[in-house]
Amino acid sequence: MNPPDQSINACDGVEMVQCSCSKGPWRCKNTFPFQLMEYRGKMQPIKQCEHHRALQRARNKSPAGKASHTRALKSPAGIAGNLKRYASTKYKDARRARKKTEAGRERARHNNKTPAGRARVKRNQTKQYAKLKADPTKKLKHYISCRVREIVRTKGSSVTISTKTSLPDSDSIRQHLESTWPADGSMSWANHGHRGPDKWNIGHRIAVAMFDFSVAEDVCKCWSLDNIFAQWSVENQMLGVKLPCDDELLRLKHCWPASWNSTLPSAAARQAMEQRVRNVFGNHS
Ligand SMILES: [Zn+2]
């Protein structure tokens, strides 16, 4: 019979614990001072002596130990445990943080190039395209962005742009964008592009997502010369839907979305609005 779990008090007052390792009537005689260690996110008392802990560590690293670990993960209890872990906020936050590291990005690039990854990318694109086609306001939003980019590049013209927005002809748009280039000459038509550290594209002082594209007036205000400027691609991505400072917003009064009812949003309202459009459209609208 195993002796009951007991704590032996040593003379210097440190609580001593007997090793819990046993087999049949035998129980390890080793004792060690009581100590807590973190195990599965909780502080737990150490139960085995240093000798038996070392044995267990060695077994965990052996092929038999690894096989046993894999078996446990594939058991019903193991699968249930993993599912619970995947659903926890702690796990999700850790995943999110890792995705932002260089190693995480590298892994994502790698994963997207595997056959399953390519299929997933394709599926998502199809889903996005179907969503775009199903929603007329979304479609208009996308269409106008594409046409503006196109006529600016090709110096062409578009009926949609001239009827639905307050933008002038492509030459005037080009002139306006050129006037917003920084004085150091770092922007030119040669580095107008989509993504990249040295690319610039058309940015909105008040983000597109703030406007309601089912209202004709809002479309006009969103795509007016005063609301667009040449912006570094990276800055555009980083700022997302963030509104400019109060002074700049006051200068843009004639571009305010109709839903603001001509009142400057308070700091709280501003934050709520940015949060709302981020939730609906994602960070980069
Ligand atoms: Zn022991």
Side-chain angles (χ1 to χ4, degrees), residues 140-160:
L140 180 67
K141 202 177 267 185
H142 181 70
Y143 190 80
I144 293 179
S145 308
C146 293
R147 284 297 84 75
V148 171
R149 195 163 56 239
E150 191 181 293
I151 65 170
V152 162
R153 253 179 211 284
T154 61
K155 304 184 191 175
S157 62
S158 154
V159 177
T160 311

Side-chain angles (χ1 to χ4, degrees), residues 263-282:
T263 38
L264 188 71
S266 65
R270 206 182 241 268
Q271 210 172 14
M273 219 148 44
E274 287 169 4
Q275 192 60 49
R276 184 182 59 81
V277 296
R278 263 189 209 116
N279 287 343
V280 178
F281 301 105

Side-chain angles (χ1 to χ4, degrees), residues 19-21 26 28-30 48-53:
C19 176
S20 68
C21 208
W26 174 84
C28 175
K29 295 254 181 331
N30 293 343
Q48 291 186 347
C49 68
E50 197 36 62
H51 167 71
H52 280 113
R53 289 178 68 198

